[in-house]
Amino acid sequence: MNRSSTRLLTLLFTLLLLAMPAAAQDLDLLIENGHVIDPKNGIDGVMDVGIADGRIADVSPDIDAARADRVVDASGLYVTPGIIDLHVHAFHGTEPDAYISNSFTSVPPDAFTFRAGVTTAVDVGSAGWRNMRTFVEQTVNHADTRVLAFVNIVGSGMKGGAVEQNLRDMDPKLTAMAVEKYPEIVVGVKLAHYMGHDWTPTDRAVAAGEQAGVPVMVDFGGAEPKLPIRELFFDHLRPGDIFTHAYANLDTRESVVDAAGRFQPFVLDAQERGIVFDVGHGGGSFFYSAAVPATQAGFWPDVISTDLHTGSMNGGMKDMANVMSKFLSLGMSLPDAIRASTWTPAQVIQRTELGNLDVGAEADVAVFRLHEGEFGYADVDDVVLHGDRKLEAELTLRAGRVVWDLNGISMPAWNE
């Protein structure tokens, strides 16, 4: 073949390549080279995650970057399902003397969720059946965070003081009706802060949960003499019901440790029975005097959560990433901490479409950096536990949209 023929063939081949359509970019976003932890699907290793039309499109090694309109390099980072915070108070409003129910102690969710990797926040009992509509219209409908809720057995919600002691306002039928009226939002029934040696509030909350087919979360108030938690776990709650503030250690109610600070083994039996133990850190409900002996005895929470409100966020709790880091410092493995913050809470609230990276699932994704160094983690009693690892949310996606990017890893450089 002479030189002219070679040149002609080369020219024809080049023209053919130019005429071929470019490879289709079927992904809106590709997160590549990250260490993916997806407990539901048993994934714990370096993978790529492809996202299209707000949903997970592909989770596999070595997805072709040419398929994506935008590529995020997550090398050295951990990629997880969007975090579910099972215990927050987000019924922010301006009603005076109303504590957490449409008042100042609750917080607007978007201000405190995405920056910690949280894409789903579950408000637990801020509203009751009387003001659930206001909560939905005022908070849920105006949040980019997915906001779900437990409805308070008290019709007026968590307004504090005498309002939460009103047995006449604890109506199982009307509470169950609120669940049925907002099935996309209300996922359970909450009892909180009742003071008195009386099982009536617990039993009414459970009756509402039975009628509506949803779990019940109990935040024990206090009593003199104290109500026995053994009786709560085995005689009143059902498997799947939730005991929050699992590591509280207060004078007004029984703890998972006894008066001498020793873990009470029957708590493990209750967990085996199916009682769900939720951290619910809060501003007054997480003590190392309970957490250290309990975790050393093998009692780990089923669910990690914050109890987010203005009384907790600037204290030892801070945010969800900090509470997860606290449990790493107590000896919990990273995969277990991710499980307790994603797939397990999704199962607890019967929303198994959440908390995972299934292909086709809504693309709620968190990307964390795990720092190594010297860090201090305070409890609510102003004592500190020192640890050498700390999670920090680098990137959060809600339904495929970047809603938090700490260091701009999803963005092009200004001069490109």
Side-chain angles (χ1 to χ4, degrees), residues 184-222:
E184 298 302 313
I185 296 167
V186 181
V187 295
V189 175
K190 174 75 180 294
L191 167 66
H193 305 160
Y194 185 78
M195 306 294 290
H197 195 85
D198 186 350
W199 290 109
T200 302
T202 302
D203 294 339
R204 290 187 183 178
V206 171
E210 287 275 7
Q211 291 179 41
V214 294
V216 170
M217 177 184 285
V218 173
D219 166 5
F220 250 14

Side-chain angles (χ1 to χ4, degrees), residues 3-4 15 24 31 43 51 119 152 158 201 224 262 266 292 346 367:
R3 184 176 299 177
S4 296
L15 291 172
I31 303 172
I43 300 174
I51 295 162
T119 54
N152 204 308
M158 202 175 294
E224 183 58 46
R262 297 170 298 208
F266 71 81
V292 171
V367 179

Side-chain angles (χ1 to χ4, degrees), residues 246-249 255-257 263 286-300 326-327 330 379 385:
Y247 301 99
N249 196 8
S255 172
V256 297
V257 297
F263 177 68
F286 180 87
F287 292 78
Y288 287 129
S289 58
V292 171
T295 54
Q296 287 178 346
F299 173 65
W300 294 98
K326 190 169 293 188
F327 276 88
L330 284 164
D379 72 356
L385 173 76

Side-chain angles (χ1 to χ4, degrees), residues 228-289:
I229 57 172
R230 184 197 295 264
E231 188 175 341
L232 174 70
F233 299 155
F234 293 98
D235 297 340
H236 295 274
L237 297 184
R238 308 158 296 165
D241 287 339
I242 307 149
F243 180 70
T244 192
H245 306 318
Y247 301 99
N249 196 8
L250 301 167
D251 293 336
T252 55
R253 62 188 188 223
E254 281 195 356
S255 172
V256 297
V257 297
D258 63 19
R262 297 170 298 208
F263 177 68
Q264 305 198 72
F266 71 81
V267 175
L268 286 174
D269 296 332
Q271 193 172 44
E272 181 68 23
R273 178 176 177 256
I275 302 302
V276 177
F277 290 88
D278 168 48
V279 173
H281 189 299
S285 297
F286 180 87
F287 292 78
Y288 287 129
S289 58

Side-chain angles (χ1 to χ4, degrees), residues 81-123:
I83 300 300
I84 300 171
D85 189 346
L86 189 69
H87 191 145
V88 309
H89 293 287
F91 194 1
H92 179 72
T94 58
E95 186 177 331
D97 301 319
Y99 186 38
I100 275 173
S101 188
N102 197 21
S103 195
F104 304 99
T105 304
S106 279
V107 299
D110 293 350
F112 302 98
T113 50
F114 300 141
R115 62 186 53 236
V118 174
T119 54
T120 299
V122 186
D123 184 284

Side-chain angles (χ1 to χ4, degrees), residues 358-369:
D358 285 353
V359 171
E362 199 161 35
D364 289 358
V365 182
V367 179
F368 289 99
R369 187 179 301 278

